[in-house]
Amino acid sequence: DYELCEDWEHLYPVPREDLINLHREHLLHLLEMGDMEKALQLLQRIEDPGVCLAISEQSLDQHPNLAASHFLADYLTAHFYASLTTARRNEIQALYIGSKMLLTLPELSRVNYVHLSSRPLLMLEQLLMNMKVDWVALAVQTLHQLLAGQEIGFTVEDIDSLLSKYAEKALNFPFTLKEKRS
């Protein structure tokens, strides 16, 4: 049905908003089906960059599944970086990094942290509070790789500071040891 609508679009004038809605729904359908290759082809077929940007942003704002969010954040960053406001750019990059962090977690545990996908530092803190040290190690490694040369509202130093804070708390004993009397 989407392809038929695309054919109609080439034959008859379609209002811009209807065109955006059509392509957005088609893109979300392809992403939900896991067909990233066809989704990319669809975005490449759209000739107007403004329409393509609107479709990509609106699709991301629909909060699709993890893989789709990761794909859209990556696409927007790669193709429309200069067109985005600084705040929106930081938001999209944080979502990209958060989704990448989620993908390092065991599949069954992702559901517990998916609501934090746009807040990677908060996700890292939650992992620390839940004592998921092995997962934290993978997440920190991923963060260090992704943050190289990027500005998204936090830095490697912020991560190190968070880790130091929780390491200090882990060594803090709330009681004093009593001397044993003989």
Side-chain angles (χ1 to χ4, degrees), residues 117-177:
S117 63
S118 62
R119 313 236 353 243
L121 269 183
L122 194 56
M123 185 188 318
L124 184 63
E125 188 167 5
Q126 188 70 47
L127 289 169
L128 285 166
M129 288 191 298
N130 291 341
M131 304 293 287
K132 304 295 185 186
V133 179
D134 294 339
W135 298 357
V136 169
L138 284 173
V140 168
Q141 184 180 8
T142 301
L143 282 171
H144 280 281
Q145 291 170 354
L146 294 173
L147 285 177
Q150 289 193 31
E151 292 181 29
I152 62 161
F154 66 91
T155 63
V156 173
E157 287 77 25
D158 295 328
I159 295 167
D160 292 343
S161 172
L162 184 67
L163 292 173
S164 296
K165 175 180 150 184
Y166 277 90
E168 183 180 314
K169 286 183 180 196
L171 296 175
N172 189 9
F173 296 104
F175 58 89
T176 58
L177 296 174

Short mmCIF file of all heavy atoms in Angstrom, two decimals, residues 117-177:
data_model
loop_
_atom_site.label_atom_id
_atom_site.label_comp_id
_atom_site.label_asym_id
_atom_site.label_seq_id
_atom_site.Cartn_x
_atom_site.Cartn_y
_atom_site.Cartn_z
N SER A 117 16.99 5.58 27.84
CA SER A 117 17.81 5.56 26.63
C SER A 117 18.27 6.94 26.19
O SER A 117 19.33 7.08 25.58
CB SER A 117 17.09 4.86 25.49
OG SER A 117 15.92 5.55 25.15
N SER A 118 17.53 7.98 26.51
CA SER A 118 17.94 9.33 26.12
C SER A 118 18.76 10.01 27.22
O SER A 118 19.14 11.17 27.06
CB SER A 118 16.72 10.17 25.77
OG SER A 118 15.89 10.31 26.90
N ARG A 119 19.04 9.29 28.31
CA ARG A 119 19.83 9.84 29.42
C ARG A 119 20.92 8.86 29.81
O ARG A 119 20.82 8.17 30.83
CB ARG A 119 18.90 10.12 30.60
CG ARG A 119 17.64 10.86 30.19
CD ARG A 119 17.26 12.14 30.81
NE ARG A 119 17.96 12.66 31.91
CZ ARG A 119 17.42 12.86 33.10
NH1 ARG A 119 16.18 12.51 33.33
NH2 ARG A 119 18.12 13.42 34.05
N PRO A 120 21.98 8.75 29.01
CA PRO A 120 23.02 7.75 29.25
C PRO A 120 23.69 7.82 30.63
O PRO A 120 23.95 6.78 31.23
CB PRO A 120 24.05 8.00 28.15
CG PRO A 120 23.39 8.88 27.16
CD PRO A 120 22.26 9.55 27.83
N LEU A 121 23.94 9.03 31.13
CA LEU A 121 24.57 9.13 32.45
C LEU A 121 23.65 8.60 33.54
O LEU A 121 24.11 7.93 34.47
CB LEU A 121 24.94 10.58 32.76
CG LEU A 121 26.32 11.04 32.36
CD1 LEU A 121 26.57 12.47 32.80
CD2 LEU A 121 27.40 10.13 32.89
N LEU A 122 22.38 8.90 33.43
CA LEU A 122 21.42 8.39 34.40
C LEU A 122 21.31 6.87 34.32
O LEU A 122 21.18 6.19 35.34
CB LEU A 122 20.06 9.05 34.18
CG LEU A 122 19.03 8.91 35.29
CD1 LEU A 122 19.57 9.43 36.62
CD2 LEU A 122 17.77 9.66 34.93
N MET A 123 21.39 6.33 33.10
CA MET A 123 21.38 4.88 32.93
C MET A 123 22.60 4.25 33.59
O MET A 123 22.49 3.23 34.27
CB MET A 123 21.35 4.51 31.44
CG MET A 123 21.20 3.03 31.19
SD MET A 123 21.40 2.53 29.45
CE MET A 123 20.54 3.76 28.55
N LEU A 124 23.74 4.88 33.40
CA LEU A 124 24.97 4.39 34.02
C LEU A 124 24.84 4.41 35.54
O LEU A 124 25.21 3.45 36.22
CB LEU A 124 26.16 5.24 33.56
CG LEU A 124 27.53 4.81 34.04
CD1 LEU A 124 27.88 3.43 33.49
CD2 LEU A 124 28.58 5.82 33.61
N GLU A 125 24.28 5.50 36.07
CA GLU A 125 24.09 5.60 37.52
C GLU A 125 23.12 4.53 38.02
O GLU A 125 23.34 3.92 39.07
CB GLU A 125 23.58 6.99 37.87
CG GLU A 125 23.54 7.25 39.36
CD GLU A 125 23.34 8.71 39.71
OE1 GLU A 125 23.12 9.54 38.81
OE2 GLU A 125 23.40 9.02 40.91
N GLN A 126 22.07 4.28 37.26
CA GLN A 126 21.11 3.23 37.64
C GLN A 126 21.78 1.86 37.66
O GLN A 126 21.54 1.06 38.56
CB GLN A 126 19.93 3.23 36.67
CG GLN A 126 18.80 2.32 37.07
CD GLN A 126 18.07 2.84 38.29
OE1 GLN A 126 17.74 4.02 38.36
NE2 GLN A 126 17.83 2.00 39.25
N LEU A 127 22.62 1.59 36.68
CA LEU A 127 23.36 0.33 36.65
C LEU A 127 24.28 0.20 37.87
O LEU A 127 24.39 -0.87 38.47
CB LEU A 127 24.18 0.21 35.36
CG LEU A 127 23.40 -0.02 34.08
CD1 LEU A 127 24.31 0.16 32.86
CD2 LEU A 127 22.76 -1.39 34.06
N LEU A 128 24.91 1.32 38.24
CA LEU A 128 25.77 1.31 39.42
C LEU A 128 24.96 1.05 40.70
O LEU A 128 25.37 0.27 41.55
CB LEU A 128 26.52 2.64 39.54
CG LEU A 128 27.68 2.86 38.58
CD1 LEU A 128 28.11 4.31 38.57
CD2 LEU A 128 28.85 1.95 38.94
N MET A 129 23.82 1.70 40.81
CA MET A 129 22.98 1.51 42.00
C MET A 129 22.44 0.09 42.08
O MET A 129 22.21 -0.43 43.17
CB MET A 129 21.83 2.53 42.01
CG MET A 129 22.30 3.93 42.31
SD MET A 129 20.98 5.11 42.66
CE MET A 129 20.08 5.14 41.15
N ASN A 130 22.24 -0.53 40.93
CA ASN A 130 21.73 -1.91 40.90
C ASN A 130 22.86 -2.94 41.00
O ASN A 130 22.61 -4.13 40.83
CB ASN A 130 20.91 -2.15 39.64
CG ASN A 130 19.61 -1.40 39.66
OD1 ASN A 130 19.13 -0.98 40.70
ND2 ASN A 130 19.03 -1.20 38.49
N MET A 131 24.08 -2.46 41.20
CA MET A 131 25.25 -3.33 41.39
C MET A 131 25.52 -4.21 40.17
O MET A 131 25.98 -5.34 40.30
CB MET A 131 25.09 -4.19 42.65
CG MET A 131 24.84 -3.41 43.93
SD MET A 131 26.25 -2.42 44.42
CE MET A 131 27.32 -3.69 44.99
N LYS A 132 25.28 -3.70 38.99
CA LYS A 132 25.54 -4.43 37.75
C LYS A 132 26.93 -4.03 37.24
O LYS A 132 27.08 -3.39 36.20
CB LYS A 132 24.47 -4.12 36.70
CG LYS A 132 23.05 -4.40 37.16
CD LYS A 132 22.85 -5.87 37.40
CE LYS A 132 21.39 -6.16 37.74
NZ LYS A 132 21.16 -7.52 38.12
N VAL A 133 27.95 -4.41 37.99
CA VAL A 133 29.32 -3.96 37.73
C VAL A 133 29.82 -4.43 36.36
O VAL A 133 30.47 -3.67 35.64
CB VAL A 133 30.26 -4.44 38.86
CG1 VAL A 133 31.68 -4.01 38.60
CG2 VAL A 133 29.77 -3.92 40.20
N ASP A 134 29.53 -5.66 35.98
CA ASP A 134 29.97 -6.16 34.67
C ASP A 134 29.32 -5.36 33.54
O ASP A 134 29.97 -5.05 32.54
CB ASP A 134 29.64 -7.64 34.51
CG ASP A 134 30.43 -8.52 35.47
OD1 ASP A 134 31.50 -8.06 35.95
OD2 ASP A 134 29.99 -9.65 35.75
N TRP A 135 28.06 -5.05 33.71
CA TRP A 135 27.35 -4.26 32.70
C TRP A 135 27.90 -2.84 32.65
O TRP A 135 27.99 -2.24 31.57
CB TRP A 135 25.87 -4.23 32.98
CG TRP A 135 25.21 -5.59 32.96
CD1 TRP A 135 25.78 -6.78 32.66
CD2 TRP A 135 23.85 -5.86 33.27
NE1 TRP A 135 24.85 -7.78 32.76
CE2 TRP A 135 23.66 -7.26 33.14
CE3 TRP A 135 22.77 -5.08 33.66
CZ2 TRP A 135 22.44 -7.87 33.36
CZ3 TRP A 135 21.55 -5.70 33.89
CH2 TRP A 135 21.38 -7.08 33.73
N VAL A 136 28.23 -2.30 33.82
CA VAL A 136 28.80 -0.96 33.88
C VAL A 136 30.12 -0.91 33.11
O VAL A 136 30.39 0.03 32.38
CB VAL A 136 29.00 -0.50 35.35
CG1 VAL A 136 29.84 0.77 35.42
CG2 VAL A 136 27.66 -0.28 36.02
N ALA A 137 30.93 -1.95 33.28
CA ALA A 137 32.21 -2.00 32.58
C ALA A 137 32.02 -1.93 31.07
O ALA A 137 32.70 -1.17 30.37
CB ALA A 137 32.97 -3.27 32.96
N LEU A 138 31.06 -2.70 30.55
CA LEU A 138 30.77 -2.66 29.11
C LEU A 138 30.22 -1.30 28.69
O LEU A 138 30.59 -0.75 27.65
CB LEU A 138 29.77 -3.75 28.74
CG LEU A 138 30.30 -5.17 28.66
CD1 LEU A 138 29.14 -6.15 28.46
CD2 LEU A 138 31.28 -5.30 27.52
N ALA A 139 29.33 -0.75 29.52
CA ALA A 139 28.72 0.54 29.21
C ALA A 139 29.77 1.65 29.19
O ALA A 139 29.78 2.50 28.29
CB ALA A 139 27.62 0.86 30.22
N VAL A 140 30.68 1.63 30.16
CA VAL A 140 31.73 2.66 30.21
C VAL A 140 32.66 2.53 29.02
O VAL A 140 33.05 3.54 28.41
CB VAL A 140 32.51 2.57 31.55
CG1 VAL A 140 33.77 3.42 31.51
CG2 VAL A 140 31.62 3.01 32.70
N GLN A 141 32.99 1.33 28.66
CA GLN A 141 33.85 1.11 27.48
C GLN A 141 33.16 1.67 26.23
O GLN A 141 33.78 2.36 25.42
CB GLN A 141 34.13 -0.38 27.32
CG GLN A 141 35.07 -0.71 26.19
CD GLN A 141 35.30 -2.21 26.07
OE1 GLN A 141 34.65 -3.02 26.73
NE2 GLN A 141 36.23 -2.58 25.22
N THR A 142 31.88 1.39 26.09
CA THR A 142 31.11 1.90 24.95
C THR A 142 31.07 3.43 24.98
O THR A 142 31.26 4.08 23.94
CB THR A 142 29.67 1.34 24.98
OG1 THR A 142 29.75 -0.08 24.92
CG2 THR A 142 28.84 1.85 23.82
N LEU A 143 30.82 4.00 26.16
CA LEU A 143 30.77 5.45 26.28
C LEU A 143 32.10 6.10 25.91
O LEU A 143 32.12 7.11 25.20
CB LEU A 143 30.40 5.85 27.71
CG LEU A 143 28.93 5.74 28.07
CD1 LEU A 143 28.72 5.93 29.55
CD2 LEU A 143 28.10 6.74 27.29
N HIS A 144 33.19 5.54 26.37
CA HIS A 144 34.50 6.10 26.05
C HIS A 144 34.74 6.10 24.54
O HIS A 144 35.28 7.06 23.99
CB HIS A 144 35.62 5.34 26.77
CG HIS A 144 35.79 5.75 28.20
ND1 HIS A 144 36.45 6.89 28.57
CD2 HIS A 144 35.38 5.17 29.34
CE1 HIS A 144 36.44 7.01 29.88
NE2 HIS A 144 35.79 5.98 30.39
N GLN A 145 34.32 5.04 23.86
CA GLN A 145 34.49 4.97 22.41
C GLN A 145 33.61 5.99 21.70
O GLN A 145 34.05 6.64 20.75
CB GLN A 145 34.15 3.56 21.90
CG GLN A 145 35.14 2.51 22.32
CD GLN A 145 34.63 1.10 22.00
OE1 GLN A 145 33.50 0.91 21.57
NE2 GLN A 145 35.48 0.11 22.24
N LEU A 146 32.38 6.15 22.16
CA LEU A 146 31.44 7.03 21.47
C LEU A 146 31.65 8.51 21.76
O LEU A 146 31.29 9.35 20.94
CB LEU A 146 30.00 6.63 21.84
CG LEU A 146 29.55 5.26 21.35
CD1 LEU A 146 28.18 4.92 21.91
CD2 LEU A 146 29.52 5.22 19.84
N LEU A 147 32.21 8.82 22.92
CA LEU A 147 32.37 10.22 23.28
C LEU A 147 33.60 10.87 22.68
O LEU A 147 33.76 12.09 22.78
CB LEU A 147 32.42 10.37 24.81
CG LEU A 147 31.09 10.21 25.52
CD1 LEU A 147 31.28 10.31 27.02
CD2 LEU A 147 30.09 11.24 25.05
N ALA A 148 34.46 10.10 22.05
CA ALA A 148 35.69 10.65 21.47
C ALA A 148 35.34 11.73 20.45
O ALA A 148 34.78 11.46 19.40
CB ALA A 148 36.50 9.54 20.82
N GLY A 149 35.63 12.97 20.82
CA GLY A 149 35.44 14.09 19.90
C GLY A 149 34.01 14.55 19.72
O GLY A 149 33.73 15.33 18.82
N GLN A 150 33.09 14.14 20.58
CA GLN A 150 31.70 14.57 20.45
C GLN A 150 31.29 15.38 21.67
O GLN A 150 31.77 15.16 22.76
CB GLN A 150 30.77 13.36 20.33
CG GLN A 150 30.88 12.64 19.03
CD GLN A 150 29.73 11.67 18.85
OE1 GLN A 150 28.63 11.89 19.33
NE2 GLN A 150 29.98 10.60 18.14
N GLU A 151 30.38 16.31 21.44
CA GLU A 151 29.80 17.09 22.53
C GLU A 151 28.33 16.75 22.61
O GLU A 151 27.58 17.00 21.68
CB GLU A 151 29.96 18.59 22.25
CG GLU A 151 31.40 19.06 22.29
CD GLU A 151 31.50 20.55 22.04
OE1 GLU A 151 30.56 21.28 22.37
OE2 GLU A 151 32.53 20.96 21.51
N ILE A 152 27.93 16.19 23.75
CA ILE A 152 26.50 15.84 23.89
C ILE A 152 25.94 16.26 25.24
O ILE A 152 24.91 15.79 25.66
CB ILE A 152 26.27 14.33 23.70
CG1 ILE A 152 27.01 13.53 24.76
CG2 ILE A 152 26.64 13.87 22.33
CD1 ILE A 152 26.47 12.15 24.90
N GLY A 153 26.64 17.13 25.92
CA GLY A 153 26.14 17.59 27.21
C GLY A 153 26.86 16.97 28.39
O GLY A 153 26.66 17.40 29.52
N PHE A 154 27.67 15.96 28.17
CA PHE A 154 28.52 15.41 29.22
C PHE A 154 29.80 14.88 28.60
O PHE A 154 29.88 14.68 27.41
CB PHE A 154 27.79 14.34 30.05
CG PHE A 154 27.45 13.08 29.30
CD1 PHE A 154 28.32 12.01 29.27
CD2 PHE A 154 26.24 12.96 28.63
CE1 PHE A 154 28.00 10.85 28.58
CE2 PHE A 154 25.91 11.80 27.95
CZ PHE A 154 26.80 10.74 27.93
N THR A 155 30.80 14.71 29.46
CA THR A 155 32.12 14.33 28.97
C THR A 155 32.61 13.07 29.67
O THR A 155 31.95 12.56 30.58
CB THR A 155 33.14 15.46 29.24
OG1 THR A 155 33.25 15.63 30.66
CG2 THR A 155 32.74 16.76 28.59
N VAL A 156 33.76 12.59 29.26
CA VAL A 156 34.39 11.43 29.88
C VAL A 156 34.69 11.74 31.35
O VAL A 156 34.57 10.87 32.22
CB VAL A 156 35.68 11.04 29.13
CG1 VAL A 156 36.44 9.95 29.86
CG2 VAL A 156 35.35 10.59 27.71
N GLU A 157 35.02 13.00 31.64
CA GLU A 157 35.29 13.40 33.03
C GLU A 157 34.04 13.25 33.90
O GLU A 157 34.14 12.89 35.07
CB GLU A 157 35.81 14.84 33.09
CG GLU A 157 37.23 15.01 32.58
CD GLU A 157 37.34 15.00 31.05
OE1 GLU A 157 36.35 15.33 30.36
OE2 GLU A 157 38.41 14.63 30.55
N ASP A 158 32.87 13.54 33.33
CA ASP A 158 31.62 13.35 34.08
C ASP A 158 31.40 11.88 34.41
O ASP A 158 30.93 11.55 35.51
CB ASP A 158 30.43 13.89 33.27
CG ASP A 158 30.48 15.39 33.07
OD1 ASP A 158 31.00 16.10 33.97
OD2 ASP A 158 30.02 15.86 32.02
N ILE A 159 31.74 11.02 33.49
CA ILE A 159 31.61 9.57 33.72
C ILE A 159 32.58 9.14 34.82
O ILE A 159 32.19 8.43 35.75
CB ILE A 159 31.90 8.79 32.42
CG1 ILE A 159 30.84 9.10 31.37
CG2 ILE A 159 31.96 7.29 32.69
CD1 ILE A 159 31.21 8.63 29.99
N ASP A 160 33.82 9.61 34.72
CA ASP A 160 34.81 9.26 35.73
C ASP A 160 34.40 9.78 37.11
O ASP A 160 34.59 9.10 38.12
CB ASP A 160 36.18 9.82 35.34
CG ASP A 160 36.76 9.12 34.11
OD1 ASP A 160 36.27 8.02 33.76
OD2 ASP A 160 37.69 9.69 33.49
N SER A 161 33.84 10.97 37.16
CA SER A 161 33.38 11.55 38.42
C SER A 161 32.25 10.70 39.03
O SER A 161 32.25 10.45 40.24
CB SER A 161 32.90 12.98 38.17
OG SER A 161 32.28 13.50 39.31
N LEU A 162 31.33 10.26 38.18
CA LEU A 162 30.24 9.40 38.65
C LEU A 162 30.77 8.08 39.18
O LEU A 162 30.35 7.61 40.26
CB LEU A 162 29.25 9.15 37.50
CG LEU A 162 28.00 8.36 37.82
CD1 LEU A 162 27.10 9.14 38.77
CD2 LEU A 162 27.24 8.03 36.55
N LEU A 163 31.70 7.49 38.48
CA LEU A 163 32.30 6.23 38.93
C LEU A 163 33.05 6.42 40.24
O LEU A 163 32.95 5.58 41.15
CB LEU A 163 33.23 5.67 37.86
CG LEU A 163 32.57 5.18 36.58
CD1 LEU A 163 33.61 4.82 35.54
CD2 LEU A 163 31.64 4.02 36.83
N SER A 164 33.77 7.52 40.38
CA SER A 164 34.50 7.80 41.61
C SER A 164 33.55 7.99 42.79
O SER A 164 33.80 7.51 43.90
CB SER A 164 35.36 9.06 41.45
OG SER A 164 36.33 8.87 40.48
N LYS A 165 32.45 8.68 42.53
CA LYS A 165 31.46 8.92 43.58
C LYS A 165 30.91 7.60 44.12
O LYS A 165 30.82 7.40 45.33
CB LYS A 165 30.32 9.78 43.00
CG LYS A 165 29.17 10.03 43.92
CD LYS A 165 28.14 10.90 43.20
CE LYS A 165 26.75 10.61 43.68
NZ LYS A 165 25.75 11.36 42.92
N TYR A 166 30.57 6.69 43.22
CA TYR A 166 30.00 5.42 43.67
C TYR A 166 31.07 4.48 44.24
O TYR A 166 30.78 3.68 45.13
CB TYR A 166 29.21 4.74 42.54
CG TYR A 166 27.82 5.32 42.48
CD1 TYR A 166 27.55 6.43 41.70
CD2 TYR A 166 26.80 4.80 43.26
CE1 TYR A 166 26.29 6.99 41.68
CE2 TYR A 166 25.54 5.36 43.25
CZ TYR A 166 25.29 6.45 42.46
OH TYR A 166 24.05 7.02 42.45
N ALA A 167 32.30 4.59 43.77
CA ALA A 167 33.38 3.80 44.35
C ALA A 167 33.63 4.26 45.79
O ALA A 167 33.84 3.44 46.69
CB ALA A 167 34.65 3.95 43.52
N GLU A 168 33.57 5.57 46.01
CA GLU A 168 33.74 6.11 47.36
C GLU A 168 32.61 5.64 48.28
O GLU A 168 32.85 5.25 49.42
CB GLU A 168 33.76 7.64 47.29
CG GLU A 168 34.00 8.32 48.62
CD GLU A 168 34.00 9.84 48.47
OE1 GLU A 168 34.66 10.33 47.53
OE2 GLU A 168 33.37 10.50 49.30
N LYS A 169 31.38 5.66 47.77
CA LYS A 169 30.24 5.20 48.57
C LYS A 169 30.35 3.71 48.90
O LYS A 169 29.92 3.28 49.97
CB LYS A 169 28.93 5.47 47.83
CG LYS A 169 28.54 6.91 47.83
CD LYS A 169 27.20 7.13 47.16
CE LYS A 169 26.87 8.61 47.20
NZ LYS A 169 25.49 8.88 46.94
N ALA A 170 30.91 2.95 48.00
CA ALA A 170 31.06 1.51 48.24
C ALA A 170 32.04 1.24 49.37
O ALA A 170 31.95 0.22 50.06
CB ALA A 170 31.52 0.81 46.96
N LEU A 171 32.99 2.16 49.56
CA LEU A 171 33.99 1.97 50.61
C LEU A 171 33.63 2.69 51.90
O LEU A 171 34.34 2.57 52.89
CB LEU A 171 35.36 2.48 50.12
CG LEU A 171 35.94 1.73 48.93
CD1 LEU A 171 37.21 2.40 48.46
CD2 LEU A 171 36.21 0.27 49.30
N ASN A 172 32.54 3.40 51.91
CA ASN A 172 32.11 4.15 53.09
C ASN A 172 31.33 3.22 54.02
O ASN A 172 30.29 2.67 53.66
CB ASN A 172 31.24 5.33 52.65
CG ASN A 172 30.93 6.26 53.79
OD1 ASN A 172 31.49 6.14 54.88
ND2 ASN A 172 30.03 7.19 53.54
N PHE A 173 31.82 3.05 55.24
CA PHE A 173 31.15 2.20 56.23
C PHE A 173 30.37 3.10 57.18
O PHE A 173 30.94 3.99 57.81
CB PHE A 173 32.17 1.36 57.01
CG PHE A 173 32.90 0.39 56.15
CD1 PHE A 173 34.21 0.63 55.76
CD2 PHE A 173 32.28 -0.77 55.71
CE1 PHE A 173 34.89 -0.26 54.96
CE2 PHE A 173 32.95 -1.66 54.90
CZ PHE A 173 34.26 -1.41 54.52
N PRO A 174 29.08 2.86 57.35
CA PRO A 174 28.26 3.73 58.18
C PRO A 174 28.42 3.48 59.69
O PRO A 174 27.78 4.13 60.49
CB PRO A 174 26.84 3.41 57.72
CG PRO A 174 26.91 2.02 57.22
CD PRO A 174 28.29 1.86 56.66
N PHE A 175 29.25 2.56 60.09
CA PHE A 175 29.44 2.29 61.52
C PHE A 175 30.92 2.14 61.81
O PHE A 175 31.73 1.94 60.90
CB PHE A 175 28.68 1.02 61.93
CG PHE A 175 29.09 -0.20 61.15
CD1 PHE A 175 30.13 -1.01 61.58
CD2 PHE A 175 28.45 -0.53 59.96
CE1 PHE A 175 30.51 -2.12 60.86
CE2 PHE A 175 28.83 -1.64 59.23
CZ PHE A 175 29.86 -2.44 59.68
N THR A 176 31.27 2.25 63.08
CA THR A 176 32.67 2.11 63.45
C THR A 176 32.90 0.71 64.03
O THR A 176 32.00 0.12 64.63
CB THR A 176 33.08 3.15 64.51
OG1 THR A 176 32.22 2.98 65.64
CG2 THR A 176 32.96 4.55 63.96
N LEU A 177 34.06 0.22 63.82
CA LEU A 177 34.40 -1.10 64.35
C LEU A 177 34.76 -0.95 65.82
O LEU A 177 35.51 -0.06 66.21
CB LEU A 177 35.58 -1.69 63.56
CG LEU A 177 35.30 -1.96 62.09
CD1 LEU A 177 36.60 -2.40 61.41
CD2 LEU A 177 34.25 -3.04 61.93
#
